[in-house]
Amino acid sequence: MQLLRRGDSGPAVAEIRTMLTGYGLLPDVPGGRNHGAAAQFDRDVEDAVRAFQQRRGLITDGIIGPSTYRALREARWNLGDRMLALMISAPMSGDDVFALQERLLELGYDVGRPGGVFDEQTEHGLRAFQRDYGLTPDGVCGPQTLRALRQLGRKVTGGRPGLLREQELLRRAGPRLRGKRIVIDPGHGGADTGVTVAGITEADLMWDLARRLVGRMSATGMEALLSRQENSCPPESDRAAFANAAGADLVLSLHTDANRSMRAEGLATFHFGNGSGATSTVGEALAGLIQRELLIRTSLLDCCSQPRTWELLRLTRMPAVRVEVGYLTNLDDRRKLLDPGFRDVVAEGILVGVKRLYLLGQNDQPTGTFTFSDVLARELGRNEARAM
């Protein structure tokens, strides 16, 4: 879709204003849907868009792009407004799906992370609920199922069972890296070069970083898979589907950032979180570990770990973290990124962050002191690691 921003006007802006008004973020403008002020993207609309984006874990730039528009459309649905079912070709998504997933989790049914998309795991959990309560197990959330959901009290209180389940899976995985399957997602690719400055492209830099990370992970006995080919750029939904189909334990997405100001700089990591309580606790923990390791190793400015609802973070069934390594538009960050030795340091820091996640604080070392050799020594045995 065409980006909409302050200064634009027309029917598309009128639609945005109508949605924002319905969510209580913008006062109603008399005079009709496409008349006068009702079709203007003014300062009030920009402020309302920013407020909505902040609520939904989106980038708060005040611009209507594909992610913000999709979130606006999804927010209009309340549980009970429509029948919900698994649609393979065009999965249903919206706040009503999120509410259904949250309700099933409260009742003790495993639907995975509540991301607001009606997927196979949601259908499986819904069918299990229907069977247990004497309903036709058709996997469709219709009037009878809704009535049963509303009549039943909660089985789980005082916590979020989905998050507890995610933490328990991490505990059971054990401290060793060997055998764990990780999807490495180098941002952009092919015709989509991402940030490009002076002929230097984000896609090429992240492809190189991804290959360095894959090499180190493979040396520890992990199975590291790339989400794309060197000259391809699948959409984020396809990258998430690839990770889900592969049964990955973690997803690591690699990017650099850009800004109109050359002074913008630094490192940020992102995990799934919608600002309304739904989050990936393991993803948040991993993002924090990687953030701290890289800050000490690279001296990049700390732009913090933050929750987001981007598709790759929201649609993956396993914890996913996006790492934004510096700003290619910043001279100092760009100089660092162009140094192969710096990219080696980043790859080592990310690997160590993953290792520390699985250690769960046991037999760990202070931030910044764990090396690739240390990891190999723990995974392969010290004599074998020295031989490599």
Side-chain angles (χ1 to χ4, degrees):
M1 64 166 289
Q2 180 182 356
L3 297 179
L4 298 174
R5 50 170 52 89
R6 189 173 173 182
D8 291 338
S9 61
V13 175
E15 180 189 12
I16 299 302
R17 292 194 69 124
T18 299
M19 287 191 282
L20 291 170
T21 300
Y23 304 148
L25 295 171
L26 197 66
D28 196 9
V29 176
R33 178 178 171 87
N34 298 315
H35 179 71
Q40 301 296 318
F41 199 125
D42 55 18
R43 177 63 179 271
D44 290 340
V45 174
E46 184 181 65
D47 289 344
V49 171
R50 288 181 185 275
F52 177 80
Q53 290 170 327
Q54 189 171 31
R55 286 185 187 180
R56 308 290 292 202
L58 301 167
I59 295 176
T60 54
D61 55 8
I63 297 172
I64 302 293
S67 296
T68 300
Y69 183 71
R70 181 182 61 251
L72 281 166
R73 291 184 62 85
E74 290 178 352
R76 62 181 172 162
W77 297 110
N78 294 311
L79 187 58
D81 288 349
R82 56 179 176 167
M83 295 180 67
L84 299 174
L86 180 64
M87 309 290 287
I88 299 297
S89 59
M92 302 182 76
S93 62
D95 284 14
D96 53 347
V97 178
F98 176 80
L100 172 64
Q101 292 169 329
E102 286 270 90
R103 189 72 179 103
L104 289 171
L105 282 169
E106 289 170 352
L107 292 167
Y109 295 93
D110 184 8
V111 297
R113 184 191 307 149
V117 179
F118 198 113
D119 56 12
E120 292 90 344
Q121 199 166 356
T122 302
E123 184 192 45
H124 178 78
L126 180 59
R127 286 181 185 271
F129 165 76
Q130 290 171 325
R131 279 193 298 269
D132 288 348
Y133 289 91
L135 303 171
T136 302
D138 56 7
V140 176
C141 185
Q144 287 185 318
T145 299
L146 281 169
R147 191 177 305 114
L149 286 168
R150 288 166 177 159
Q151 290 173 346
L152 289 168
R154 295 181 176 180
K155 288 184 178 179
V156 180
T157 58
R160 304 183 74 88
L163 307 187
L164 297 175
R165 191 175 290 114
E166 190 176 75
Q167 292 169 337
E168 177 62 13
L169 286 173
L170 175 65
R171 188 190 66 80
R172 290 183 182 180
R176 299 290 297 274
L177 295 180
R178 180 176 295 276
K180 292 181 171 63
R181 183 174 295 173
I182 311 295
V183 168
I184 309 298
D185 173 51
H188 306 279
D192 180 3
T193 59
V195 181
T196 302
V197 179
I200 304 160
T201 71
E202 176 184 5
D204 288 345
L205 285 173
M206 294 304 101
W207 178 259
D208 177 82
L209 177 58
R211 294 301 297 267
R212 292 169 192 267
L213 186 53
V214 166
R216 284 162 175 75
M217 288 188 162
S218 297
T220 69
M222 302 175 81
E223 184 180 1
L225 307 174
L226 288 166
S227 66
R228 66 169 175 91
Q229 300 296 319
E230 183 174 6
N231 296 313
S232 67
C233 184
E236 283 206 348
S237 57
D238 287 358
R239 299 177 194 232
F242 171 77
N244 291 338
D249 296 291
L250 299 172
V251 176
L252 298 170
S253 187
L254 308 175
H255 290 259
T256 60
D257 212 336
N259 194 282
R260 285 178 292 182
S261 171
M262 293 177 63
R263 294 184 178 182
E265 59 176 310
L267 168 79
T269 53
F270 302 90
H271 58 88
F272 172 74
N274 66 1
S276 300
T279 188
S280 167
T281 51
V282 175
E284 183 176 2
L286 178 58
L289 290 168
I290 292 174
Q291 181 80 8
R292 291 189 290 275
E293 286 292 336
L294 293 184
L295 287 174
I296 283 188
R297 295 163 189 267
T298 66
S299 299
L300 289 169
L301 183 69
D302 186 4
C303 295
C304 303
S305 293
Q306 306 167 44
R308 288 289 184 270
T309 56
W310 296 328
E311 280 194 310
L312 187 66
L313 304 178
R314 182 168 61 101
L315 299 181
T316 46
R317 298 190 190 119
M318 67 294 301
V321 169
R322 174 164 164 162
V323 185
E324 296 269 2
V325 188
Y327 281 71
L328 205 52
T329 47
N330 178 273
L331 185 60
D332 288 339
D333 283 3
R334 183 164 71 248
R335 175 180 53 80
K336 290 177 180 177
L337 284 163
L338 288 174
D339 179 2
F342 175 83
R343 298 196 293 275
D344 279 336
V345 169
V346 172
E348 180 179 75
I350 293 174
L351 173 64
V352 168
V354 172
K355 176 61 177 176
R356 293 185 63 203
L357 175 76
Y358 285 110
L359 285 175
L360 293 174
Q362 301 296 316
N363 302 313
D364 202 352
Q365 294 180 204
T367 302
T369 65
F370 226 147
T371 66
F372 179 48
S373 296
D374 292 334
V375 174
L376 284 179
R378 300 230 185 160
E379 296 296 322
L380 307 177
R382 295 193 178 274
N383 292 334
E384 186 179 351
R386 289 194 190 100
M388 293 182 66

